[in-house]
Amino acid sequence: MKKLICTLALAVMVMSCKTTQEKTSATTINEVKVAIDLKNVTDDKVMVTITPPTFTTETATFHIPKIIPGTYSEDDYGKFIDNFKALDTNGNALAVSKTDDNTWQISNAKALAKVTYLVNDTYDVEGTHDIFSPAGTNIAANENFMLNTHGFVGYFQGKNEIPYTVTVSHPATLWGATSLVDNDPSNEVDVFHTPRYAELVDSPIMYSKPDYTTFNVDGMDILISVYSPNGTYTAKDITPEMETMMRAQKKFLGPVNSTKKYSVLLYLSDMKKPDAKGFGALEHTTSTTVVMPEMMPKAQLLEQLKDVVSHEFFHIVTPLSIHSKEIQYFDYNTPKMSEHLWMYEGVTEYFANLFQVNQGLITEDEFYNRMAEKIEASTRFNDKMPFTNMSKNILDKQYKDSYYNVYLKGALIAMCIDIQMRESSNGARGILSLMQALSNEYGNNKPFNDEDLFAKITALTYPEIGAFLNKYVAGDTPIPYNDYFAKVGVIKGSVKKPANPFLKGDMPYITVNPATKEIMIPPGMELNGFMKKIGLKNDDTLLAINGTAYNLDNIYELIMSSMDWKENDPITIKIKRNNKEQTLKGKVTLTMEDVEGLHFTDNSKAKIKEAWLKG
Ligand SMILES: [Zn+2]
């Protein structure tokens, strides 16, 4: 009987095992489903519901990123999450403990059926955090939503390599601009699939009243979407210049790039309201988010977009394609940084300048001016700080403030490598060919080891490049720029540049009375030619220019519009002098400043210079 009992017990066990197995295979969920509700916005917050994968562990850990790729800064996106709840299938709350700004630990995870939370946006509270606007979020009900997805959607620890399905319900009047494919025909529901969390983070979506253009550049579909709160600009306004620029970029890059779709999401910020203030852009593999002030005059906006969007687009080469293991296996909550920011940001920024002279969008002199400005601006940073070291430790307080130098010295490092390669190869090869060689070697699914990169580059180029990298990038020796310029016949000398009426370099000619917010000309300061000619004096208060009243609140607007002034434009300035209002009338005169610049003078180097800039 024992046997029977045994047999019976065994049969029951096998059956139950089988049943359990069947049950498990039938209900095991191995994906993350996300619902984002943009229709019912309450208190400026968006409700997010997450259907988790099946957990077999007692606890589950949910993270919102502390950091995302491309920002090189720990910004704690979890700080914007409220009312986090974990629920079982009956809607009962499971115990949750918040262990840091970005982490929630859920008990009894096997019973977890749903996670819900509210998301606050970052744009209307800038100043209370350090999130760079192109990586931030906007929630303006029925008007605009900037879904930088990492700000809305988190991941379960150990489950970020599984597929995500994101369902966004939105007002029918708003349209989602993104490179993701919408799998739902309804105009109030969008359904997006990504194979893993990283690709969701790499795919921002901007919802606004549809204002976009599309065009194709050599097989690549481009989408330009614009949100302009006061209707100042439309996508059409910027498309011709963007198209010219992107054609030139594609031509410059050649076969390195095979992107099929690329979206430019431009958010124009209303400077008169609490709104985004971090201008610039963030790179993604198939798109870029760009934030600019809406009040910027058109010529300037186009100029900035040309530089900024081309920079982001070149990021497709690095780090989006060529990158180290730190980036491939990016940890959103305990990040490790790579040593090679000189390449990710420096080479990218250099390309964004080089392609313009290469493709005739700027003149050679303009290119030299840009490089001279970078040299000048980089002197504000410690020139002896090894770049690799700074890069590896960029999240530390001690190095954080040096970050901006990646756009300056980083680009100059790339320029010197370019010049050296031209010299070593008799003009035949430049840094673009190095990046082509690296992209054959590495790519989206094949990262390099940080410590192997210099040896690999040396093997792909010349011993002089290896020596340069070790001495000037990993070492603490400042780069002798003049020696590199001499190789291409360029020498330092003074050049004339029109000065801004209100700025001398970075130093303003105007100040603000903090008590009244009025803009005034400080006492004792030497006036510039423009001020003297129009009749401004020390201690004058500037009330209005050309009919627009100015004070501290719109001082940026004043500076920006002044950048657009041309010689001999008529100008009217209303001032207060000795407590009496008066009006000064005249014409704009722009003083020419002598600044240190660069000239091509050595004709014996004409051939190598041509190869460098036009090759
Ligand atoms: Zn960049």
Side-chain angles (χ1 to χ4, degrees):
M1 294 304 280
K2 202 182 169 183
K3 201 179 174 183
L4 186 78
I5 293 170
C6 276
T7 314
L8 191 66
L10 196 68
V12 171
M13 221 178 85
V14 169
M15 258 180 66
S16 69
C17 273
K18 209 176 161 199
T19 317
T20 318
Q21 246 174 20
E22 266 176 10
K23 199 176 156 209
T24 312
S25 65
T27 57
T28 292
I29 302 170
N30 206 26
E31 70 162 333
V32 181
K33 283 190 177 148
V34 182
I36 301 177
D37 183 357
L38 303 183
K39 274 182 163 171
N40 305 295
V41 177
T42 13
D43 275 349
D44 202 30
K45 293 173 195 178
V46 161
M47 173 83 148
V48 175
T49 305
I50 307 237
T51 307
T54 304
F55 283 97
T56 51
T57 47
E58 282 309 312
T59 58
T61 306
F62 185 80
H63 293 294
I64 293 281
K66 176 201 199 86
I67 178 169
I68 53 151
T71 58
Y72 308 102
S73 162
E74 293 176 326
D75 293 325
D76 298 322
Y77 296 90
K79 280 186 176 164
F80 297 85
I81 304 299
D82 275 351
N83 214 13
F84 186 96
K85 283 182 193 153
L87 305 167
D88 68 14
T89 38
N90 298 320
N92 300 315
L94 301 173
V96 173
S97 70
K98 193 172 175 192
T99 53
D100 64 39
D101 281 338
N102 311 295
T103 310
W104 292 261
Q105 208 131 54
I106 302 162
S107 305
N108 195 13
K110 285 176 190 165
L112 180 64
K114 208 196 266 184
V115 163
T116 64
Y117 52 83
L118 295 169
V119 179
N120 289 291
D121 56 342
T122 66
Y123 283 5
D124 51 13
V125 289
E126 294 215 350
T128 68
H129 59 79
D130 288 331
I131 294 173
F132 180 45
S133 308
T137 52
N138 191 41
I139 298 173
N142 294 310
E143 178 71 17
N144 172 279
F145 296 90
M146 181 60 100
L147 300 194
N148 265 310
T149 44
H150 56 265
F152 287 83
V153 185
Y155 62 97
F156 294 95
Q157 198 168 296
K159 304 270 186 194
N160 48 359
E161 295 295 320
I162 62 176
Y164 269 69
T165 296
V166 179
T167 303
V168 183
S169 41
H170 60 90
T173 50
L174 303 187
W175 181 77
T178 179
S179 278
L180 288 171
V181 176
D182 172 17
N183 293 286
D184 191 302
S186 156
N187 63 354
E188 293 182 64
V189 180
D190 295 342
V191 176
F192 305 110
H193 301 290
T194 67
R196 56 192 199 122
Y197 183 67
E199 277 169 58
L200 181 61
V201 173
D202 199 22
S203 306
I205 314 163
M206 181 169 78
Y207 283 89
S208 52
K209 306 222 162 57
D211 176 17
Y212 62 92
T213 56
T214 54
F215 53 92
N216 185 283
V217 175
D218 301 332
M220 177 172 63
D221 285 319
I222 315 264
L223 165 74
I224 303 215
S225 175
V226 173
Y227 172 66
S228 179
N230 300 297
T232 311
Y233 295 109
T234 65
K236 251 193 180 142
D237 293 335
I238 62 164
T239 294
E241 283 78 5
M242 290 285 102
E243 187 171 346
T244 305
M245 176 201 83
M246 294 187 102
R247 283 192 192 285
Q249 272 190 296
K250 265 298 246 183
K251 214 167 152 200
F252 171 82
L253 270 183
V256 177
N257 170 250
S258 58
T259 307
K260 288 276 166 281
K261 184 173 181 184
Y262 195 78
S263 304
V264 177
L265 313 183
L266 173 60
Y267 179 96
L268 294 168
S269 163
D270 188 340
M271 299 292 279
K272 295 196 181 78
K273 291 189 180 144
D275 201 345
K277 299 275 185 310
F279 305 122
L282 183 66
E283 76 268 23
H284 297 284
T285 311
T286 57
S287 58
T288 178
T289 45
V290 189
V291 177
M292 287 292 187
E294 190 185 35
M295 66 180 190
M296 192 178 252
K298 189 175 173 189
Q300 247 178 287
L301 179 68
L302 291 172
E303 193 62 28
Q304 292 290 332
L305 286 175
K306 189 170 70 171
D307 289 351
V308 166
V309 176
S310 64
H311 174 109
E312 303 313 325
F313 186 75
F314 281 126
H315 269 312
I316 293 174
V317 179
T318 189
L320 295 166
S321 173
I322 305 165
H323 56 241
S324 73
K325 290 188 171 159
E326 284 77 5
I327 293 175
Q328 179 81 13
Y329 309 110
F330 192 82
D331 190 323
Y332 299 88
N333 282 277
T334 39
K336 286 185 194 67
M337 294 289 111
S338 162
E339 288 180 358
H340 298 299
L341 269 175
W342 70 271
M343 182 171 79
Y344 309 138
E345 289 300 338
V347 172
T348 300
E349 174 63 10
Y350 177 62
F351 276 169
N353 287 278
L354 182 67
F355 98 99
Q356 296 194 40
V357 65
N358 182 281
Q359 294 292 313
L361 302 183
I362 56 173
T363 64
E364 289 184 17
D365 282 335
E366 282 171 295
F367 177 79
Y368 298 146
N369 277 344
R370 285 167 174 233
M371 295 302 114
E373 278 168 14
K374 286 193 189 296
I375 293 175
E376 171 61 28
S378 76
T379 58
R380 273 178 290 168
F381 297 91
N382 179 358
D383 209 11
K384 290 189 169 168
M385 181 186 285
F387 233 71
T388 46
N389 207 19
M390 186 256 277
S391 184
K392 186 131 202 79
N393 298 294
I394 197 66
L395 302 179
D396 294 358
K397 234 179 170 176
Q398 194 191 341
Y399 294 94
K400 210 175 164 29
D401 292 340
S402 302
Y403 177 74
Y404 194 76
N405 208 14
V406 301
Y407 304 117
L408 308 171
K409 189 173 178 179
L412 295 165
I413 288 171
M415 179 192 74
C416 292
I417 292 173
D418 199 18
I419 292 174
Q420 183 60 60
M421 282 185 70
R422 290 292 178 190
E423 185 187 71
S424 302
S425 67
N426 249 324
R429 292 182 70 199
I431 194 169
L432 181 59
S433 92
L434 165 62
M435 298 312 284
Q436 278 160 345
L438 284 173
S439 81
N440 292 336
E441 200 73 33
Y442 307 109
N444 280 336
N445 298 311
K446 198 179 166 206
F448 57 77
N449 289 318
D450 249 16
E451 59 276 19
D452 299 340
L453 184 67
F454 283 179
K456 176 57 78 181
I457 291 178
T458 311
L460 292 170
T461 58
Y462 310 96
E464 295 84 356
I465 299 298
F468 176 88
L469 290 169
N470 287 317
K471 187 167 182 186
Y472 301 119
V473 183
D476 61 3
T477 313
I479 301 173
Y481 296 113
N482 293 345
D483 296 357
Y484 285 87
F485 284 125
K487 294 175 192 292
V488 285
V490 171
I491 60 155
K492 256 193 198 166
S494 83
V495 293
K496 293 220 178 293
K497 240 178 82 179
N500 182 278
F502 300 112
L503 296 174
K504 184 174 191 170
D506 286 347
M507 298 296 291
Y509 276 108
I510 45 180
T511 185
V512 170
N513 178 341
T516 63
K517 288 189 172 184
E518 284 172 327
I519 301 169
M520 50 178 295
I521 300 169
M525 190 195 64
E526 202 196 326
L527 303 177
N528 63 24
F530 162 77
M531 292 170 155
K532 286 182 196 158
K533 193 103 181 262
I534 196 86
L536 285 167
K537 291 186 174 166
N538 294 101
D539 287 316
D540 280 354
T541 299
L542 298 181
L543 299 173
I545 295 180
N546 292 338
T548 305
Y550 290 107
N551 66 14
L552 174 64
D553 296 335
N554 61 352
I555 192 164
Y556 280 115
E557 219 165 313
L558 169 64
I559 301 289
M560 269 190 224
S561 74
S562 72
M563 288 176 175
D564 242 17
W565 294 353
K566 306 271 176 315
E567 187 79 13
N568 288 326
D569 281 354
I571 186 165
T572 309
I573 307 184
K574 196 161 115 188
I575 60 162
K576 195 167 62 183
R577 184 176 294 162
N578 303 322
N579 277 320
K580 263 199 205 142
E581 286 190 12
Q582 65 181 90
T583 301
L584 308 173
K585 275 189 176 176
K587 283 180 176 169
V588 171
T589 41
L590 296 174
T591 2
M592 298 305 274
E593 271 181 338
D594 279 323
V595 293
E596 197 157 86
L598 297 161
H599 304 274
F600 173 74
T601 53
D602 182 355
N603 266 317
S604 72
K605 306 278 191 199
K607 219 180 122 205
I608 189 167
K609 187 264 293 175
E610 279 303 297
W612 170 41
L613 298 181
K614 301 286 182 181

